Amino acid sequence: MAAMQSAAVLGLGAVSLGRADAAERPFVPAVVVGSGYGSAATALRLGEAGVSTLVLEMGRLWDRAGEDGAIFCSMLQPDHRAMWFKARTEAPLSSLLWMDLVNRDIKPFAGVLDRVHHGDMSVYVGRGVGGGSLVNGGMAVTPRRGYFEEVLPRVDAGEMYGRFFPLANRMLGVNTVDRTWFEECESYRYARVSRGHAQRAGLRTTFVPNVYDFGYMRREERGEVPKSALSSEVIYGNNHGKRSLDRSYLPAAVGTGNVTIQSLHRVRSFRQEPDGTYVLTVERIDELGNMLGTTEIGCRWLFLGAGSMGTTELLLRARETGVLPRLDDSVGHGWGTNGNVMLGRALHSWDRTGSVQSGMPALGIDNWDDPVHPVFAEIAPLPAGLELLTSLSLAITRNPERGSFSYDPAADAARLHWSASQGKPSVEAAKALFDPINRANGTVYRHDLFGDSRAFEDRFTYHPLGGCVLGEATDDFGRVRGYRNLYVTDGSLIPGSTGVNPFVTITALAERNIDRVLSEDF
Ligand code: FAE
């Protein structure tokens, strides 16, 4: 497989970023901020159209092996590579038997996973060239058409399901697990056990496609190739097997000859010049967080793909500091958690889940048709390397609550407003699904996994969505209202919920929007 190809293919350094005065200021036709799903799709299509494009990513390029010969560290032995400038890891499952056995002290570094704290809610995001694709579970789910139409009613669903979802799936390298192998392999025993429990409660499960190469995973199980998914790798990066964006869209974008990616470049702010061009203020940092300097870069077309949290902050700062006063009032609204709740159930001794668990989920409990509490629950691994007799789930629920952002001038940062009570609908829905599963199987919730005695963890999300909602803060194709040649191209366009894991939707929507923008605005 095309592993470890990133550095050369991504061809860094082709644009030299000079001093900050206008005469010397580098100018590129298009800038894309961030290098996650929306950005990667946008950069590729710009490059193919012959538009010289610079991608600015605040995280590092994950191309160099550490002293242990691996690019990423494993979940079981996290080190400085694990997290974005933290002194201690902040894993979603923070305790076992109420003991602080999971997290480790680490050296602050430009690591791959960030947990951004905002009062009662914290948000996990990927940092690096490839954004969330570096850390996520690879679950590549096309949402139900009916729900998609409800969430984004102004988007032509026929075109999405006929053209852009298939395109996104193809480009991302989505594949499905071989059913025969799934039924007999050791590494999905945990999923089969949970499926059995769901079925006993009369519930339906469904196979979930993934961008992890299932052929590679089978060879891992046979001991033929270095292990990744079967070696507790997920959330802090996968050394093999996963088709993250640095192995799909981004090399293709750079391969057009028109796209350059600069890592460790954090866009601080941007303004518009009287001639309508944009000037970005960009901080260059090193892997230890030292500031190397600030640079200005000019561009004609500016695409914001810094993720729901990053893009919303950039636009909010621009509006609230008076730099882009015509930005719509809806910027900073319509944010949601995709109804995320995590929970674990303690199983009987005969329900062994296995000490080797694939880090890439392949099954979900699909109860989205429930009229009161629709839930799509991913059967998640607990790859601790030992038998824990536990079934872990990440439930995606239909939570109507929405958060909003305000600008804090003292910190020059966006603050998310989301109160603990807003997680209640998610917890109720997860309970409505898993209480009957427990009853049917004589199992109970674990209360020792999330730092206190709660069974349902709704204080974090993996799926931040919204903040610059399509058709509100932007037009129906991501053009930011009030300003020409300024676009949003990431999860912030989606109003808080997709009903399934979101990256396929984010990618397909970005493909649709850039297709229209290239034909009308260039
Ligand atoms: P995203 O991928 O977050 O990329 C934004 C990029 O912009 C990042 O690389 C940032 O470092 C960068 N950035 C931010 N601010 C700046 C700035 N000021 N200057 C320069 N760069 C900046 O955005 N989704 C699924 O569909 N399936 C899964 O199995 C799944 N599992 C997940 C597991 C974990 C642990 C996590 C954290 C997420 C998971 N997700 C999953 C969510 C998915 O990764 C996420 O929805 C997408 O990555 C969001 O894509 P965006 O393009 O919006």
Side-chain angles (χ1 to χ4, degrees):
M1 61 161 268
M4 310 307 172
Q5 62 182 0
S6 327
V9 180
L10 293 179
L12 299 190
V15 174
S16 93
L17 303 177
R19 301 209 330 254
D21 49 302
E24 297 268 332
R25 184 189 302 139
F27 183 89
V28 265
V31 166
V32 177
V33 182
S35 60
Y37 291 93
S39 293
T42 302
L44 170 61
R45 302 309 170 198
L46 287 167
E48 282 178 342
V51 181
S52 226
T53 300
L54 176 63
V55 176
L56 296 169
E57 166 58 51
M58 67 190 269
R60 69 194 285 267
L61 175 67
W62 289 90
D63 63 335
R64 268 172 294 130
E67 281 170 11
D68 57 0
I71 291 179
F72 297 106
C73 63
S74 104
M75 251 174 80
L76 300 184
Q77 284 178 323
D79 60 26
H80 62 285
R81 292 168 289 186
M83 300 215 69
W84 182 255
F85 298 110
K86 306 260 185 205
R88 192 166 170 77
T89 58
E90 297 181 10
L93 221 95
S94 53
S95 56
L96 273 176
L97 300 173
W98 294 279
M99 287 186 286
D100 184 10
L101 297 173
V102 180
N103 287 310
R104 300 269 184 282
D105 289 340
I106 52 173
K107 275 201 301 239
F109 182 78
V112 72
L113 181 69
D114 199 357
R115 183 170 179 161
V116 187
H117 298 275
H118 286 274
D120 291 339
M121 175 53 58
S122 62
V123 181
Y124 281 104
V125 290
R127 298 266 181 242
V129 174
S133 78
L134 299 168
V135 297
N136 66 33
M139 293 175 70
V141 197
T142 300
R144 290 212 187 179
R145 183 167 170 158
Y147 191 58
F148 177 83
E149 287 172 344
E150 203 182 314
V151 172
L152 290 168
R154 296 160 69 94
V155 175
D156 178 349
E159 194 184 40
M160 287 297 287
Y161 283 78
R163 183 172 164 206
F164 293 112
F165 277 121
L167 174 64
N169 275 285
R170 204 166 56 242
M171 289 298 304
L172 292 166
V174 174
N175 68 155
T176 47
V177 68
D178 180 275
R179 304 292 161 88
T180 312
W181 179 71
F182 174 88
E183 295 302 337
E184 61 203 25
C185 70
E186 182 58 21
S187 43
Y188 281 118
R189 175 185 286 278
Y190 75 95
R192 296 195 300 270
V193 166
S194 293
R195 177 182 61 187
H197 284 196
Q199 285 170 346
R200 230 166 276 147
L203 293 159
R204 198 171 77 87
T205 59
T206 179
F207 281 94
V208 178
N210 204 294
V211 293
Y212 197 91
D213 180 347
F214 281 112
Y216 188 89
M217 197 189 292
R218 289 177 70 171
R219 297 202 294 281
E220 287 180 53
E221 180 139 310
R222 291 202 297 265
E224 294 170 2
V225 290
K227 289 188 169 56
S228 180
L230 303 198
S231 183
S232 303
E233 288 186 355
V234 62
I235 83 168
Y236 301 142
N238 280 87
N239 284 295
H240 310 278
K242 198 210 262 181
R243 295 165 181 143
S244 42
L245 292 166
D246 53 338
R247 294 172 189 178
S248 60
Y249 268 103
L250 292 171
V254 173
T256 64
N258 294 316
V259 177
T260 304
I261 301 172
Q262 291 284 358
S263 57
L264 296 168
H265 279 59
R266 178 167 183 262
V267 176
R268 182 75 204 161
S269 60
F270 63 95
R271 62 177 189 272
Q272 193 181 37
E273 298 285 272
D275 66 358
T277 59
Y278 293 94
V279 175
L280 295 99
T281 302
V282 183
E283 296 166 351
R284 289 176 290 122
I285 58 165
D286 69 13
E287 293 174 342
L288 300 176
N290 300 308
M291 183 78 90
L292 301 179
T294 301
T295 309
E296 288 199 336
I297 302 171
C299 68
R300 175 160 306 279
W301 292 281
L302 177 54
F303 293 86
L304 303 178
S308 165
M309 309 301 285
T311 291
T312 306
E313 177 168 86
L314 284 169
L315 284 175
L316 203 65
R317 181 183 288 128
R319 188 185 67 199
E320 297 303 304
T321 55
V323 174
L324 299 188
R326 297 194 304 277
L327 288 173
D328 197 78
D329 286 347
S330 64
V331 169
H333 292 276
W335 185 89
T337 63
N338 207 18
N340 278 191
V341 194
M342 190 172 262
L343 61 118
R345 293 183 305 114
L347 310 182
H348 299 288
S349 57
W350 56 85
D351 274 336
R352 271 193 324 108
T353 52
S355 56
V356 176
Q357 302 193 2
S358 170
M360 300 291 130
L363 268 188
I365 304 170
D366 187 357
N367 201 32
W368 199 259
D369 285 333
D370 187 283
V372 187
H373 292 302
V375 181
F376 178 79
E378 145 192 347
I379 298 177
L382 186 40
L386 56 140
E387 176 63 62
L388 286 177
L389 289 172
T390 299
S391 175
L392 195 69
S393 300
L394 181 75
I396 295 171
T397 65
R398 186 176 175 158
N399 185 337
E401 292 289 334
R402 293 292 172 263
S404 63
F405 294 83
S406 63
Y407 174 69
D408 173 354
D412 187 25
R415 299 274 177 242
L416 171 65
H417 302 282
W418 176 275
S419 63
S421 62
Q422 290 180 281
K424 244 180 114 191
S426 302
V427 171
E428 277 166 13
K431 215 169 135 40
L433 181 72
F434 284 98
D435 279 0
I437 295 181
N438 274 340
R439 275 198 299 275
N441 294 281
T443 51
V444 292
Y445 295 115
R446 285 191 72 145
H447 289 264
D448 61 317
L449 301 177
F450 304 112
D452 52 20
S453 62
R454 74 187 59 224
F456 297 95
E457 176 59 289
D458 62 337
R459 296 169 298 178
F460 75 76
T461 180
Y462 285 163
H463 301 163
L465 293 169
C468 311
V469 170
L470 191 85
E472 294 176 21
T474 73
D475 78 350
D476 290 345
F477 293 90
R479 299 176 179 105
V480 174
R481 287 199 203 283
Y483 293 88
R484 282 195 61 199
N485 299 341
L486 178 62
Y487 310 88
V488 171
T489 182
D490 56 26
S492 51
L493 292 172
I494 299 172
S497 169
T498 51
V500 291
N501 315 62
F503 74 62
V504 171
T505 308
I506 294 169
T507 309
L509 200 60
E511 287 276 18
R512 164 201 180 261
N513 293 349
I514 190 65
D515 186 68
R516 174 63 68 100
V517 164
L518 276 169
S519 71
E520 289 183 352
D521 299 11
F522 278 74

